[in-house]
Amino acid sequence: MLIIVGFLIVIVSVIGGYLGSHGKMAALWQPFELVIIGGAALGAFLTSNPMKVVKGTLAATLSVFKGAKYKSADYLDVLTLIHEMLNKARRDGFMSLEEHIENPTNSALFAKYPKVLADHHLLDFLTECLRLMVGSNIEPHELEPLLELELEKHHHEAMAPAHALQKVSDGLPGFGIVAAVLGIIVTMGSIGGDIAAVGAHVAAALVGTFLGILLAYGFVSPLAAAIEAQVEQDSRMYESVKTALLACLRGYNPAVALEFARKTLPSDVRPPFAEFEAHLKANK
């Protein structure tokens, strides 16, 4: 919602200031300038990114308007699932988790949390972490760098759409100049004609520069920053999973390990301790 409000403020401020200075809206309507700028930016975007990033950018652009991927209830579900699994491992040994992590779609534990099952990135990360704990006598100091490496890889992939859009933003003012130069070339062809026509051509050329700069700094760059901020927020889910499992491996009981994980969450999505405790009891 804030993104839409921000875009509207940009449009109203720019157009309102222009009209307040006695500008004419008709002078800004230059569709072929948009074709040059938008087409060149799109072509450069497709040239510089693999298909995976192109698809990811489209998906990230749509998702950023929906808000953060994980809400407070989602953190509660994931932490409760981990609590159940760690308690089971404490009672029956880590090998009792093997059937659940090898085939989570048929697991009675995972079946209670359909949103976790539907999120394949999170599911893969959780099961891979547990698989390392189950399949080897790994020490916390040995597991932590492996988890950090996995988180870094996931973060790098998730950030690719934001970086791709930022590169487009960096190029838009240049494409605006290209459109302006082409407009000046057209203007040169009308020299000697009606002065009003020459003025109209010059104005059209300047609109190209204006559009390139406005699109870059008013829309594309803020959108890239919004995607980056959302990735940073969503990565807290993975950090909380890592914290809980490492704490358990260090010898803390599941309840304490989960409290460590809860503390890593941002304040706006961190479940209150009483609610968290009640949720754990309700799902025993």
Side-chain angles (χ1 to χ4, degrees), residues 7-21:
F7 283 169
L8 288 175
I9 291 174
V10 170
I11 294 170
V12 170
S13 298
V14 172
I15 300 301
Y18 172 72
L19 293 177
S21 300

Side-chain angles (χ1 to χ4, degrees), residues 82 86 89 94 97 129-147 241-254 256-258 260:
I82 295 173
L86 293 182
F94 272 106
L97 298 179
C129 293
L130 289 168
R131 192 174 288 114
L132 285 171
M133 296 171 69
V134 169
S136 61
N137 295 320
I138 195 166
E139 297 292 331
H141 68 275
E142 295 172 324
L143 179 60
E144 187 166 8
L146 293 176
L147 299 187
V241 171
K242 182 197 81 171
T243 301
L245 297 181
L246 285 176
C248 178
L249 204 59
R250 289 188 175 106
Y252 292 98
N253 69 54
V256 175
L258 268 293
F260 274 115

